[in-house]
Amino acid sequence: MIGTRHLVRLALRRDRILLPIWVLFLVGVTYSTTTALEELYSSPESRALLGVTANANSAFLAMLGPLHDWSSLGGLVVWRWGVFSGLFIAIMAMLVVTRHTRAEEEAGRTELIAATVVGRHAPLAAAVLVAGGTSLLIGLLQALALIGKDLDAAGAFAFGLSTASVGLVFTGVSALTAQLSENSRVSNAVAGGFLGVTYLFRAAGDAAGESGPQWLTWLSPIGWTEHVRSFGDDRFWVLLLPLTAFALLIGLSSYIVTRRDVGLGLLPARLGPAHGTIGTPFGLAWRLQKGSLIGWSIALFGVGVIYGSVAQAVGQMVQDNPALGQIVQTIGGADAMVDAFFATVTQLLGLITSIYLVQAVLRLRSEETSFRAEPLLATPVSRWGWVASHAVFALAGGAVVLAAAGLGLGLVYGVQTDDLGGVLPRMVGTALVQLPAAWVVAGVALALFGLFPQLTGVSWAVVSVSLVVTLLGPALQLDQWVIDLAPFTHVPKYPDITFGPLAWLTGVAVVLLAAGFAGFRRRDLTT
């Protein structure tokens, strides 16, 4: 443990931009969601109607979980934001732990640090302290934000601690996955897969209803936050489950650290072929990026299947609730509500896909800082050719991922409505409409790589801001010019697709990509 304090300071210095963004994002959305729900559901009658609708519809139950207490504003906040707050803090914890453990070993910096007076457990301890401490800080500030809105203090701290507990669990999960593989991307993929599986357990358990396997929610850390029942029963004892899981995962990770060599994983790396078969930059990029592309395509196909399976329930909800049906008739009936559902879902799928695109582009920076780009560029491989070999995965690969999402969406909904031939191509096309906006986000990442390589981490801030502004900008009552900054705001909504906005979004993306290519051609390689 010697040297842990210094490594914590180093990690905080390196994350001095990203961590405040995560904190402000999660706390700010908590506060703004509370404000928006207070205005939207100001009367007891409107809250009671929401409660009946939310708990009777499997689509709402799968996406947001049950609404335990609709009589209080705090209960509405927990229902509307609790699941997503847990998802985001889990992603934050995973990225931070992997960045300061496995990624450091992969880059060779941990070996240099280990040659000094630093304990064997210090890098892992520092990463756990930073990620776990940030999770607790977010939970505390969320509680204070809710108390600032005159909500019950016990319920506010129950909500904040339950959110922080998800961060602690996935801090432990990432600490363990960082010991398994030699590659940071594999570590993140395994931890992300665990998050996806546990999310599906929660969604399936909630959507099953009282007669179904609700016990599945007890297998999910996010499900544990629901069982705390903040602003209701405030069952603090449930928090013992994530604390126990955190302690066991960290203990197991600490044991494995002393049983393996620095730079190696618990799982043996596969040996390559005896004779090399890669002869082009694109072949090498395909070798490096194909796993990520396949994984994202399968994951987005699964997300599309989930949303496609609940689309019919959205229309059924109108029939089950006459009061809601009267409201929906004013906007075009149940079909209009289903169209609005697909418009929101495909926009969300586009935002998620932009994460893959940025990840594909930043692979360039990872290759550069790991000293693998320098020997490659010492050969006749041109700089433009090398950049293009990876950028093609952000451009064409993004289309593949979005098409997979649309395929899952249309396949399930088409079978449900007995119109597979008509629905399937329409859903694939609707998903692909999001591609130009995702290209703009990828273009920002490539422009930063080419012009300001030390600031490539800002690309993730661009993704986060786009997500918040696109999804929550109207609810937060942001100025229109702020909302217009997000590229996904300008994507035409299903079913009214027009090609004008898509053309100029593509033009902006081309300019940004060209700036990235030109910038990299003129600068030196940096680490």
Side-chain angles (χ1 to χ4, degrees), residues 71-300:
S71 62
S72 69
L73 177 60
L76 298 183
V77 174
V78 172
W79 168 73
R80 186 63 183 85
W81 174 235
V83 169
F84 288 106
S85 180
L87 279 174
F88 282 119
I89 202 169
I91 293 171
M92 182 278 298
M94 287 191 302
L95 294 178
V96 169
V97 172
T98 303
R99 171 179 164 85
H100 295 294
T101 52
R102 176 52 60 185
E104 289 296 283
E105 288 191 48
E106 192 178 0
R109 286 189 283 267
T110 299
E111 188 172 8
L112 292 175
I113 292 174
T116 65
V117 187
V118 172
R120 186 63 186 274
H121 291 99
L124 178 63
V128 170
L129 286 172
V130 171
T134 305
S135 299
L136 291 172
L137 176 63
I138 290 172
L140 174 63
L141 293 178
Q142 282 182 328
L144 294 177
L146 294 175
I147 293 173
K149 297 293 292 183
D150 295 329
L151 298 183
D152 177 64
F157 277 106
F159 176 76
L161 289 175
S162 61
T163 300
S165 71
V166 179
L168 290 178
V169 170
F170 280 91
T171 295
V173 169
S174 296
L176 179 60
T177 58
Q179 314 306 319
L180 301 181
S181 170
E182 299 177 7
N183 191 291
S184 60
R185 288 180 293 113
V186 174
S187 299
N188 273 332
V190 174
F194 181 78
L195 174 62
V197 169
T198 55
Y199 177 82
L200 290 178
F201 279 158
R202 182 215 60 78
D206 285 334
E210 295 181 356
S211 59
Q214 288 186 318
W215 54 268
L216 286 173
T217 59
W218 287 98
L219 302 179
S220 168
I222 298 176
W224 295 340
T225 65
E226 295 177 356
H227 289 292
V228 172
R229 296 193 178 184
S230 309
F231 297 100
D233 300 333
D234 292 334
R235 299 191 292 187
F236 286 95
W237 61 266
V238 177
L239 296 175
L240 291 175
L241 290 174
L243 290 177
T244 303
F246 172 73
L248 291 175
L249 289 166
I250 296 301
L252 180 58
S253 303
S254 302
Y255 175 78
I256 296 175
V257 163
T258 59
R259 294 295 185 275
R260 65 174 178 84
D261 290 334
V262 174
L264 298 181
L266 193 64
L267 303 176
R270 290 187 305 170
L271 296 177
H275 301 285
T277 57
I278 299 175
T280 63
F282 179 77
L284 178 59
W286 169 251
R287 174 77 175 272
L288 295 172
Q289 302 247 19
K290 67 178 180 182
S292 176
L293 175 61
I294 294 172
W296 274 93
S297 299
I298 294 174
L300 267 291

